[in-house]
Amino acid sequence: MQTPDHKLGLALLAAVVIVAGCTDNTSDNSVTVSQTSGVEITSFSASPSSLSGGQPATLQMNIKNRGGVDAENVQARLTNPEFGSDSGLWSVEGGEWKDGFNTLRGPNPDSGQAALTRTLQWSVNAPNSNNQIDIDYDFDADLFYRYSTEASTQMSLVNTNSIEDQPTRATPAIQNTGGPIQLGVQASSPVIFTEESGGSSKSLPFCITMQNQGSGTPFIYEDSLVNGNAYRGVSSDITDRINLSVSTSSSFLEFEENNVQKELVGNPPSTCMDMNASYVSTNEGSTTAQITVEADYGYRVQDSTGITVTTGP
């Protein structure tokens, strides 16, 4: 049998989630933190963009962390065209993978430190062939990094002797750090206890929405490691998934299965866990419990540029 609290919690799955601070206007002294971005590719270009067979070129990728936390283990990879040592293929000095930065800091409005542009470069050589027509080559690249989004909310717990005179319940607001994954909460606050409730605790659904508001693809970072090398194992089996954890310092709340791995499916994607709430006290009163929800994930963004190999030797 579902209690009124359970029915209300389940009904909130269809409600609009309140997300505080979800614009890109958080700024101080012109330093802006993006609410929906992490590391972005600001440009990806080739120089020269036209050359003859066998000649070298430089591919340059400029990146910037515009989000609210530091990015970790930033790497990039050329994925196209085919590279090799054969004279008819493009070659790339040092290989397709490019180690970037262990840590890439984002903007800091408090100190006035803006996000810095960082650069990754590849040296490539065109196929050594005498083509009869100009050939356009597309160069595709993946940028990988590890990121997290931390969201904070709070639940009120109220103890009252009056069933008639109860406070209005609503969905609590939630505050996210800037990042491509944004989190919402679907729950009912306050949790109300009365003498007629028939017990000292309640088990209620606490639901979290997870939305990818960036331009790339999230994945489980730990599952991308192959022989200790990150991102080599990124595939459809681990993409569109994140790790979620929920914690509270309150002694009146406890979450079951507070560390879960979730796929971003649904509209919006969501997951629910049991929240066990206890009486505030034996007398009338109230307290507020702080709750932290953290999403941990790898993230991939893609870009492309082009080089034309002209006719003749």
Side-chain angles (χ1 to χ4, degrees), residues 8-84:
L8 178 59
L10 294 174
L12 283 167
L13 284 173
V16 176
V17 180
I18 301 173
V19 181
C22 49
T23 68
D24 290 341
N25 298 327
T26 306
S27 62
D28 178 62
N29 296 327
S30 299
V31 176
T32 301
V33 175
S34 171
Q35 190 64 35
T36 57
S37 298
V39 181
E40 294 183 347
I41 301 175
T42 58
S43 65
F44 183 42
S45 60
S47 179
S49 58
S50 179
L51 46 74
S52 299
Q55 292 185 330
T58 298
L59 300 174
Q60 179 167 307
M61 177 185 288
N62 293 327
I63 62 176
K64 181 183 292 188
N65 181 8
R66 296 185 60 231
V69 300
D70 293 347
E72 300 177 4
N73 198 8
V74 182
Q75 298 184 37
R77 180 195 181 193
L78 296 176
T79 60
N80 188 69
E82 182 182 358
F83 296 95

Side-chain angles (χ1 to χ4, degrees), residues 267-313:
N267 187 26
S270 63
T271 184
C272 296
M273 57 189 65
D274 289 333
M275 177 181 69
N276 298 319
S278 303
Y279 271 122
V280 176
S281 67
T282 56
N283 300 316
E284 290 195 25
S286 64
T287 190
T288 299
Q290 300 295 325
I291 300 172
T292 300
V293 184
E294 185 173 3
D296 178 82
Y297 49 95
Y299 206 75
R300 177 183 65 196
V301 290
Q302 299 173 305
D303 207 345
S304 62
T305 189
I307 296 178
T308 299
V309 177
T310 58
T311 59

Side-chain angles (χ1 to χ4, degrees), residues 182-195:
Q182 291 291 286
L183 305 172
V185 63
Q186 294 173 327
S188 179
S189 180
V191 179
I192 302 172
F193 297 97
T194 66
E195 287 184 348

